[in-house]
C-alpha cells in the first residue's frame, strides 16, 4: 500500500498518490503550471485587445463625427458660395439690362431718322396731303417721318387757343393750353393706334409710324379750315371748307389705305371708319369744342360770377336834413 518517489525521465518531478482500487495517478505539475499560466496570459491579452478595440472604435467614431462635421461645414460653405455667385450674376445681368434700356430710351440717335427731314420735303408732303392719289392698284408710298405731323398737331393747338380767344368763351384761371394739347394729341395718338389695330385685323400693309405720319399730315386740312372759319364767322363758309378742304385730305388718306388693303369688305370697313372719324372730329372742333371746354370749366371751377363792381350808396333823408341845417347855420354865422 505504500508508494515511492524517484527521479522520472527527462528530469521531471513526479508525484505518486495512492488511488482507490489499488492504482496510482501521476500529475504533471509542470504541464499544469504551464497551462494555468498560459490561460492567465490569454485572459490578459484578451482584455488588452478588447480595451484597444474599444479605444480604436471610440477614435473611429470621433473621426467619423469630425469628418461628418467637416463635410457638413464644407457643403454649407459651398452652398453659401454658390448662392453669392448666383446673386452676383443676377445683379450684373439686371444692371446690364437696366443700363441698356436706359441708354436705348435716352439715346437721341434712335429718334433722329424720324425727324431728319428737310423743310422742302415737309412743304411738298403738305401739298400732297391735299391731293388724292389716282393709282390704287399698287401700294402708295407713305413718309415714315414724324416732324411734319408733330408740327401740324402743335399748329392745331395754337389755332384752337386762338379760336377760344376770338369767340365769346370766358377764359378763367389763365389759358386753356392743357385742354387743347390733350384734345389734339389724344386724337392723333388714339385714332392712329385704333386705325393701326383695325388695319392689322383687315390685313393692311402699314406700320404704326406710317399711320401716325398719314393721319398727322391729314390734319393739314383741319388747320386750314379752322383758321379761316375762326376769323370769318359764317357757317356756310365753314361747310364749304369742311366739304372741300377737309374732304380732300380725307380722300388722300382713304386712297392710300385702299392701295394697301386687299379685299372689298376690308377696304370698306377701314376706309369708312377713318373717314367718319376724321370728318366728325373737324365738326367737333368747330361747333362743340368751346362749349365742352366751358362746361368742363363750370364743373371744375363753378359757374361764371360777375365781376365785383362799385355801386353808389343812397344817402338817407335824415342825413340830407342834417346836412342842410348845418349848411344854413354856417351861412348865417358868416
Amino acid at each position: 500500500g505504500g508508494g515511492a518517489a524517484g527521479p522520472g525521465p527527462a528530469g521531471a518531478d513526479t508525484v505518486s498518490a495512492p488511488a482507490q482500487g489499488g492504482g496510482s495517478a501521476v500529475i504533471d505539475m509542470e504541464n499544469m503550471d504551464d497551462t494555468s499560466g498560459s490561460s492567465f496570459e490569454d485572459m490578459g491579452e484578451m482584455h488588452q485587445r478588447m480595451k484597444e478595440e474599444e479605444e480604436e472604435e471610440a477614435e473611429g467614431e470621433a473621426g467619423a463625427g469630425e469628418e461628418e462635421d467637416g463635410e457638413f461645414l464644407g457643403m454649407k460653405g459651398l452652398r453659401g458660395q454658390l448662392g453669392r455667385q448666383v446673386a452676383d450674376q443676377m445683379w450684373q445681368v439686371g444692371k446690364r439690362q437696366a443700363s441698356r434700356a436706359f441708354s436705348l430710351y435716352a439715346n437721341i440717335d434712335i429718334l433722329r431718322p424720324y425727324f431728319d427731314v428737310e423743310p422742302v420735303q415737309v412743304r411738298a408732303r403738305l401739298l400732297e396731303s391735299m391731293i388724292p392719289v389716282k393709282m390704287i392698284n399698287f401700294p402708295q408710298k407713305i413718309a415714315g417721318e414724324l416732324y411734319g405731323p408733330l408740327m401740324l398737331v402743335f399748329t392745331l393747338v395754337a389755332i384752337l387757343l386762338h379760336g377760344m380767344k376770338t369767340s365769346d368763351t370766358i377764359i378763367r384761371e389763365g389759358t386753356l393750353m392743357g385742354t387743347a394739347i390733350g384734345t389734339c394729341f389724344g386724337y392723333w395718338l388714339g385714332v392712329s393706334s385704333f386705325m393701326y389695330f383695325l388695319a392689322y385685323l383687315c390685313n393692311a400693309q402699314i406700320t404704326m409710324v406710317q399711320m401716325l405720319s398719314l393721319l398727322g399730315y391729314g390734319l393739314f386740312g383741319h388747320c386750314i379750315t379752322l383758321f379761316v372759319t375762326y376769323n370769318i364767322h359764317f357757317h356756310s363758309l365753314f361747310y364749304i371748307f369742311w366739304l372741300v378742304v377737309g374732304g380732300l385730305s380725307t380722300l388722300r388718306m382713304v386712297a392710300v389705305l385702299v392701295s394697301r388693303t386687299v379685299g372689298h369688305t376690308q377696304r370698306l370697313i377701314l376706309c369708312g371708319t377713318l373717314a367718319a372719324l376724321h370728318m366728325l372730329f373737324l365738326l367737333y372742333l368747330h361747333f362743340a369744342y368751346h362749349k365742352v371746354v366751358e362746361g368742363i370749366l363750370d364743373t371744375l371751377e363753378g359757374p361764371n360770377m360777375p365781376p365785383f363792381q362799385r355801386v353808389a350808396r343812397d344817402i338817407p333823408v335824415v342825413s340830407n336834413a342834417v346836412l342842410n341845417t348845418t349848411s344854413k347855420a354856417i351861412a348865417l354865422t358868416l
Side-chain angles (χ1 to χ4, degrees):
D13 296 333
T14 59
V15 177
S16 62
Q20 295 178 356
S24 63
V26 179
I27 301 174
D28 193 350
M29 297 297 294
E30 184 179 0
N31 292 335
M32 186 180 64
D33 293 340
D34 292 341
T35 304
S36 61
S38 61
S39 63
F40 281 115
E41 289 177 0
D42 292 340
M43 292 295 293
E45 289 178 0
M46 291 176 62
H47 182 69
Q48 184 68 24
R49 287 177 184 176
M50 292 176 63
K51 189 174 182 181
E52 289 178 357
E53 289 178 359
E54 291 178 358
E55 291 178 356
E56 290 179 357
E57 290 178 0
E59 291 177 358
E61 291 178 357
E66 291 179 357
E67 290 179 358
E68 290 179 358
D69 294 339
E71 291 178 357
F72 176 74
L73 293 175
M75 290 297 295
K76 188 175 181 180
L78 182 60
R79 291 177 182 176
Q81 292 178 0
L82 289 176
R84 286 193 295 271
Q85 291 179 359
V86 172
D88 293 339
Q89 187 175 3
M90 292 178 63
W91 169 257
Q92 294 296 333
V93 172
K95 185 178 179 181
R96 285 196 299 268
Q97 291 180 354
S99 61
R100 187 181 304 170
F102 181 76
S103 62
L104 177 66
Y105 290 104
N107 195 357
I108 194 64
D109 292 336
I110 300 174
L111 300 177
R112 183 176 297 175
Y114 303 109
F115 294 91
D116 188 9
V117 61
E118 297 294 333
V120 179
Q121 296 177 349
V122 175
R123 182 181 62 186
R125 288 166 184 169
L126 288 175
L127 295 177
E128 289 176 358
S129 66
M130 303 297 298
I131 302 174
V133 295
K134 297 180 180 179
M135 301 297 295
I136 59 175
N137 295 326
F138 58 91
Q140 295 294 323
K141 184 178 180 181
I142 302 176
E145 54 95 6
L146 300 177
Y147 175 78
L150 188 62
M151 293 299 105
L152 282 172
V153 173
F154 280 117
T155 304
L156 186 60
V157 170
I159 292 174
L160 289 179
L161 294 176
H162 173 70
M164 294 290 288
K165 293 180 180 179
T166 56
S167 65
D168 296 332
T169 304
I170 300 175
I171 301 176
R172 303 182 303 277
E173 301 295 334
T175 62
L176 300 174
M177 180 73 72
T179 306
I181 290 177
T183 302
C184 297
F185 275 93
Y187 171 77
W188 181 43
L189 299 176
V191 175
S192 297
S193 301
F194 176 72
M195 293 305 302
Y196 174 72
F197 175 72
L198 195 61
Y200 176 77
L201 295 180
C202 296
N203 198 17
Q205 300 176 0
I206 191 170
T207 62
M208 184 62 186
V209 177
Q210 290 176 342
M211 182 61 72
L212 287 171
S213 178
L214 182 65
L215 188 63
Y217 276 110
L219 293 175
F220 182 58
H222 288 33
C223 293
I224 296 175
T225 303
L226 293 177
F227 181 75
V228 173
T229 55
Y230 278 163
N231 293 285
I232 303 175
H233 300 283
F234 291 107
H235 291 296
S236 59
L237 181 64
F238 168 75
Y239 286 119
I240 292 174
F241 272 83
W242 178 68
L243 289 175
V244 177
V245 181
L248 288 176
S249 63
T250 304
L251 284 177
R252 167 74 182 190
M253 294 189 298
V254 167
V256 172
L257 285 180
V258 167
S259 67
R260 289 176 169 267
T261 309
V262 179
H264 297 287
T265 305
Q266 290 83 351
R267 288 178 177 179
L268 181 62
I269 294 174
L270 189 62
C271 299
T273 304
L274 180 60
L277 290 175
H278 202 64
M279 298 298 286
L280 290 175
F281 181 65
L282 184 55
L283 288 175
Y284 166 76
L285 292 180
H286 182 77
F287 290 106
Y289 175 72
H290 297 169
K291 296 180 180 179
V292 170
V293 172
E294 192 172 0
I296 293 174
L297 290 177
D298 291 339
T299 303
L300 297 177
E301 302 175 5
N304 295 334
M305 298 297 294
F308 178 75
Q309 298 178 355
R310 292 184 176 273
V311 181
R313 295 182 179 179
D314 296 333
I315 301 176
V317 180
V318 177
S319 300
N320 292 332
V322 172
L323 289 175
N324 292 332
T325 305
T326 304
S327 61
K328 290 179 181 179
I330 294 172
L332 291 175
T333 305
L334 295 176

